[in-house]
Amino acid sequence: MRSETVLVIVDAANVVGSVPDGWWRDRRGAAERLRDALVPYAAAGLPDLPGPVEIVLVVEGAARGVDSVEGVRVVSAAGSGDDLIAELAAAAPRERDLVVVTADRGLRRRVEARGARCVGPRTVRPVPERGPGPGDG
């Protein structure tokens, strides 16, 4: 059994952008809301991945400077968030389990080459169930 917890790296821009909830009007606020929503996963884990896990949230652009909170370490990319995620994945010890949360196909290829397992944004940001709308009967 491994002594280190699983490292979970979250692509903030990709996860935030997966739900059209107006995030583009306040990118920093959206990243902060995602950070806060990730906190319970640090102890509980992800589906099919028991906790605790170490969560690193990678932010870029207007979301840079978001503070870390207990359970979620936030890292600001000076440039491309994808490049920083790939660097973090490459720097992780080979024997450490690594999960990257993103739907970005190019990034998935880059981190899977390192041995990471990739999961989609819905793993940490479920799409809210839609209630009946007009015409639904």
Side-chain angles (χ1 to χ4, degrees):
M1 180 174 231
R2 294 177 189 230
S3 60
E4 283 189 285
T5 58
V6 175
L7 175 59
V8 178
I9 302 173
V10 180
D11 180 352
N14 189 266
V15 174
V16 164
S18 69
V19 177
D21 61 1
W23 59 264
W24 50 89
R25 291 188 294 269
D26 181 10
R27 293 168 193 256
R28 183 184 178 100
E32 289 170 339
R33 288 187 298 278
L34 173 60
R35 175 204 59 201
D36 295 346
L38 292 172
V39 170
Y41 292 110
L46 303 174
D48 301 321
L49 182 64
V53 297
E54 178 185 350
I55 298 178
V56 176
L57 178 65
V58 175
V59 297
E60 63 186 321
R64 280 190 208 112
V66 168
D67 292 325
S68 297
V69 295
E70 188 172 339
V72 180
R73 181 167 53 102
V74 181
V75 180
S76 295
S80 161
D82 289 0
D83 288 347
L84 179 55
I85 292 167
E87 289 171 21
L88 292 171
R94 278 290 208 205
E95 63 278 356
R96 187 168 190 196
D97 288 332
L98 172 63
V99 174
V100 175
V101 182
T102 188
D104 182 300
R105 289 186 190 120
L107 178 57
R108 281 178 172 245
R109 280 191 295 274
R110 291 169 73 181
V111 298
E112 285 172 346
R114 179 270 178 216
R117 179 168 67 111
C118 293
V119 296
R122 288 185 182 180
T123 304
V124 296
R125 188 168 180 177
V127 175
E129 288 190 32
R130 184 179 75 89
D136 291 344

